[in-house]
Amino acid sequence: STLIHYELILSAMRQFTSGEGLRVLDAGCGLGAGLMWFETNGPKSFDLVGHTISSSQLNFINNLPQHKFEAFLKSYDDLEAYGDDSSGIRALDVIYSIEAFIHSPDEEHTLKQWAKALADQGLVILVDDFLAVGVDKDAEDIQIQIFAKSWMANVLHTTSSLTEVAERHNLKLVLDRDLGSEYNINKWNYGNKFPDMAPTKRKSHQGWLGSKMRQRLMIEGKLTYRLVVFQKQGGVESPNISKNRQSTQENNTGLVEEGECSEVQTIAENKQPLVFEEIVPEHRTGKGSGGGSKMKCISGWYCCGMGETWWENLDANRTDTTSYLKLDKSLFGDYMEKVVEHLNKFYRTLPEGTVGKFLDIGGTGNVAKGMRKVTSKFSHFAGPFDYWLLDSDSAAKGVENALHCDMADCKEAPTCGFDVTFSHTVLEHTHRPWDTLDTIARITKKGGLTAHVVPFSYQYHATPDDNFRFSHRGVTTLLEDRGFTILDVGYDICTKPKVLKAYVRK
């Protein structure tokens, strides 16, 4: 609800400032509801002001019950008076915008003006629609084009691409929350359903079409709904902003810098759990947002999930019962179900308001050796967290939220930068898996989760090289030696799909 927006914004103010005596601008204040809420529920020391370009909205505000805040008939870009010595109007401490920034005709100009009007360490707080990672706003996507025109969505960015713009004006990303996942908007607002797009006499106007396209893009995973906070670096100092209030210091990628190691928070007594949409154990193509289309099997060559079935078959037809050749049945199962089980269990331990990052190691595939490039194959595993990729393949260059490096010696990967680290049939390709796991241990937060799928018996596949196979004992030792506690380890068995078997027999 709108009230939740205000609560989230106030929480961000308190996280990064003293929380008192702030000069706050509502950029695109509408009918003044936000200003009235902050005047009623926020600190009495707030100095509140709003800008609107609608004379009707301003007239409505002027007729509201008695209030202290001011509203002006101005664009939210018209901020030259703030912080100007000749005007006598002090600089702003906070500029917030709820679903208004997306309508800016020029986001570069808007952020430039906002940065100039802010005091040092001042905040820009946005609650708005963002493109999902992997969605190209310049691609020939008719749905995004219709949404942009009908919703007047002039500003369509991922968090990363908007951060690049913001950094040119000394605005540093300090907080990025996926509210769509946290509050399960697709379920509660849209019933997890595509909209009825059939127009009627009453439902044919521009705003109606824009809202319906917005719903469709949210359901398809092309749009995300986020709370994003930027902080001004440099400028006029404000006594109302404490530089020590930041809970985490982040570098220009939005990741925790080396030496600033934080621990994953868990639910404390009387705290609400994080709301997220449970992950479903399924394979995806990795092409497009949200993981792409569903796949029945891990690939066109293999279907997995046969671990327990094959153990039972082997046990029933065993010709030798030598104990050291046998593995316990409890070690066998469906690897996809097990990974998802532990991810969901981990996400359920997180308190409301948690933000984090999920790293998919080897997430683009070895394009150099002929594999298809993917950018989101396991993005659905990220759940409430932001999805990041790491790959040594050059295909990772230019991909949103991607690190391009060799995992065995990746200085670009920040210490304690990720809540979840994950790899899927990747570690066998490293030349020194112990070095790679040293990096994984370094970049995974204390209390975080790491999950890896590796082969025990599989054909040689040099993509780009093929060096190791792992038993359950080998994996256990490598991880325990680096401070991890083993939650689960075992085997799955993959077989050829039935259609492929029939084709091969012919």
Side-chain angles (χ1 to χ4, degrees):
S1 74
T2 304
L3 295 180
I4 293 176
H5 292 152
Y6 306 148
E7 292 168 355
L8 290 168
I9 291 170
L10 182 58
S11 175
M13 291 184 196
R14 287 171 170 162
Q15 180 177 349
F16 295 102
T17 75
S18 66
E20 297 289 342
L22 302 177
R23 184 160 178 76
V24 180
L25 171 70
D26 185 335
C29 64
L31 298 174
L35 293 167
M36 185 65 82
W37 188 91
F38 283 109
E39 184 170 305
T40 304
N41 299 278
K44 301 304 180 186
S45 58
F46 273 11
D47 181 6
L48 300 163
V49 62
H51 282 200
T52 176
I53 57 173
S54 168
S55 58
S56 296
Q57 290 178 346
L58 183 61
N59 289 336
F60 183 91
I61 292 172
N62 290 335
N63 288 298
L64 286 173
Q66 185 175 3
H67 54 270
K68 295 180 180 179
F69 67 81
E70 295 182 285
F72 299 98
L73 189 63
K74 287 184 174 183
S75 162
Y76 55 46
D77 289 353
D78 186 359
L79 305 179
E80 292 181 1
Y82 299 100
D84 185 346
D85 293 338
S86 63
S87 71
I89 301 175
R90 70 183 177 92
L92 295 164
D93 297 308
V94 178
I95 300 173
Y96 74 85
S97 171
I98 302 174
E99 299 182 14
F101 179 71
I102 196 171
H103 304 305
S104 169
D106 184 347
E107 66 271 33
E108 182 94 40
H109 177 71
T110 296
L111 290 177
K112 179 181 179 180
Q113 295 304 110
W114 289 4
K116 287 172 64 177
L118 283 172
D120 181 31
Q121 304 299 305
L123 304 178
V124 171
I125 304 176
L126 304 177
V127 177
D128 224 320
D129 298 312
F130 286 79
L131 291 178
V133 173
V135 176
D136 182 359
K137 68 176 180 178
D138 298 320
E140 293 297 321
D141 189 323
I142 189 64
Q143 294 178 350
I144 290 179
Q145 292 173 3
I146 292 173
F147 169 70
K149 290 181 179 179
S150 57
W151 197 248
M152 292 185 288
N154 303 313
V155 181
L156 286 175
H157 279 280
T158 62
T159 305
S160 296
S161 63
L162 184 62
T163 298
E164 291 180 6
V165 179
E167 286 176 346
R168 291 197 284 269
H169 306 290
N170 298 319
L171 294 171
K172 178 180 176 183
L173 179 68
V174 294
L175 185 63
D176 178 15
R177 291 176 62 173
D178 182 355
L179 301 182
S181 296
E182 282 187 46
Y183 291 92
N184 209 351
I185 287 175
N186 283 347
K187 177 180 179 180
W188 298 115
N189 286 28
Y190 304 134
N192 288 325
K193 295 179 181 179
F194 285 119
D196 179 4
M197 300 292 288
T200 65
K201 289 184 178 180
R202 297 182 61 187
K203 297 180 178 179
S204 60
H205 55 81
Q206 183 179 7
W208 170 83
L209 178 59
S211 67
K212 293 300 181 182
M213 289 307 302
R214 186 190 195 199
Q215 177 179 344
R216 184 173 187 89
L217 293 172
M218 285 287 292
I219 295 294
E220 289 183 344
K222 293 180 179 179
L223 276 185
T224 64
Y225 193 65
R226 314 186 80 84
L227 168 72
V228 175
V229 181
F230 296 102
Q231 190 160 40
K232 170 84 173 287
Q233 307 298 301
V236 179
E237 289 192 9
S238 169
N240 306 305
I241 300 180
S242 169
K243 298 181 182 180
N244 298 322
R245 288 299 300 267
Q246 290 179 246
S247 60
T248 58
Q249 299 289 330
E250 299 176 335
N251 60 27
N252 58 10
T253 63
L255 299 172
V256 181
E257 292 179 344
E258 186 168 351
E260 297 286 346
C261 198
S262 57
E263 185 173 352
V264 174
Q265 299 298 307
T266 55
I267 300 173
E269 188 176 356
N270 300 322
K271 294 292 184 179
Q272 293 297 315
L274 178 67
V275 177
F276 72 98
E277 189 170 349
E278 296 253 331
I279 302 164
V280 177
E282 59 190 16
H283 294 283
R284 303 273 179 97
T285 61
K287 304 287 285 184
S289 61
S293 304
K294 298 177 184 177
M295 294 172 59
K296 186 176 181 180
C297 298
I298 187 174
S299 71
W301 295 95
Y302 298 102
C303 282
C304 303
M306 300 296 293
E308 190 171 325
T309 300
W310 275 72
W311 185 94
E312 291 173 347
N313 178 63
L314 177 62
D315 192 60
N317 298 284
R318 183 180 289 276
T319 59
D320 194 311
T321 58
T322 303
S323 60
Y324 62 76
L325 297 177
K326 298 177 69 174
L327 289 170
D328 190 79
K329 184 179 180 180
S330 63
L331 285 169
F332 290 80
D334 185 321
Y335 87 89
M336 175 65 80
E337 290 185 353
K338 281 293 183 182
V339 170
V340 169
E341 173 190 330
H342 286 286
L343 285 170
N344 282 327
K345 188 180 294 184
F346 175 72
Y347 294 144
R348 291 189 204 108
T349 68
L350 304 174
E352 183 180 26
T354 300
V355 293
K357 292 180 171 65
F358 176 106
L359 181 65
D360 182 0
I361 300 163
T364 63
N366 186 224
V367 179
K369 281 296 187 80
M371 294 178 67
R372 290 189 309 160
K373 178 181 177 179
V374 294
T375 57
S376 59
K377 191 171 182 64
F378 292 99
S379 64
H380 57 303
F381 278 14
F385 289 162
D386 285 338
Y387 179 67
W388 282 73
L389 299 169
L390 184 151
D391 211 303
S392 60
D393 194 277
S394 59
K397 295 179 179 179
V399 175
E400 294 286 351
N401 289 8
L403 300 173
H404 177 241
C405 62
D406 181 346
M407 192 59 192
D409 183 23
C410 184
K411 295 179 176 60
E412 295 85 348
T415 297
C416 298
F418 298 93
D419 302 77
V420 179
T421 48
F422 169 82
S423 72
H424 187 277
T425 59
V426 170
L427 296 182
E428 71 270 23
H429 300 293
T430 65
H431 292 96
R432 297 172 183 82
W434 42 90
D435 289 342
T436 297
L437 285 163
D438 282 344
T439 301
I440 290 170
R442 175 178 65 81
I443 68 175
T444 307
K445 288 183 182 179
K446 184 179 180 181
L449 187 72
T450 196
H452 305 278
V453 179
V454 294
F456 172 61
S457 176
Y458 190 66
Q459 66 193 40
Y460 181 76
H461 58 298
T463 54
D465 208 344
D466 191 7
N467 300 294
F468 289 91
R469 297 295 180 267
F470 303 86
S471 70
H472 68 291
R473 291 303 309 146
V475 169
T476 297
T477 300
L478 285 168
L479 288 168
E480 286 183 339
D481 284 353
R482 287 155 180 82
F484 289 102
T485 299
I486 304 300
L487 303 177
D488 212 335
V489 66
Y491 298 90
D492 194 358
I493 292 178
C494 305
T495 61
K496 290 183 174 65
K498 291 181 180 179
V499 174
L500 181 61
K501 287 180 180 178
Y503 175 78
V504 171
R505 288 193 188 103
K506 290 179 182 179

